[in-house]
Amino acid sequence: MKKTQLLFVSTIIAISANAFAADKDGHGHEHKPLHGGVVVEASDMDFELVAKADQISLHVRDHGKPTNLQGALAKLTLLNGSEVQLVPVGDRLEAKGSYKLGTGTKAVATVTLAGKKPVNLRFALK
């Protein structure tokens, strides 16, 4: 094989390997919803927002595993004008009430886990 052909083949292999690696985040987990919500990654953690007309839940995972939410605080602002305080309920942060939600509704959340800096998140409901 000529040097130019070898260089070309090596370049194609390197590009393919990088594209494949970019498909994974390197954290050993995928960012797929486990509860039917919308997932956003921030600070090496996954935040899954599950919004229903009578309940809003935020599931927090650290490298694919549920996070200890004891002492956690969260505020969710629905960009249609509602502001919601979420409190720990078992393995999630949650609020119950009556919410106007629909496809495309946007939300901004600020989540503070015990002993950590606040994390700001943006969601668009599907």
Side-chain angles (χ1 to χ4, degrees), residues 48-115:
E48 181 178 355
L49 181 66
V50 180
K52 299 177 183 172
D54 62 345
Q55 178 179 316
I56 295 177
S57 301
L58 186 64
H59 299 266
V60 183
R61 296 188 300 273
D62 185 1
H63 292 89
K65 297 178 182 156
T67 301
N68 180 359
L69 297 175
Q70 187 173 2
L73 303 171
K75 178 176 73 171
L76 181 75
T77 303
L78 297 170
L79 299 184
N80 64 11
S82 303
E83 189 170 282
V84 181
Q85 295 295 323
L86 301 170
V87 296
V89 176
D91 65 346
R92 65 193 175 279
L93 297 163
E94 183 177 278
K96 292 188 179 192
S98 180
Y99 308 104
K100 283 184 154 183
L101 303 167
T103 301
T105 299
K106 294 184 179 172
V108 177
T110 300
V111 179
T112 306
L113 300 176

Side-chain angles (χ1 to χ4, degrees), residues 7 15 47 56 85 105 120:
L7 180 60
I15 290 170
F47 298 85
I56 295 177
Q85 295 295 323
T105 299
N120 293 309

Side-chain angles (χ1 to χ4, degrees), residues 35-49:
H35 305 281
V38 177
V39 177
V40 171
E41 181 193 16
S43 299
D44 290 333
M45 299 181 82
D46 289 342
F47 298 85
E48 181 178 355
L49 181 66

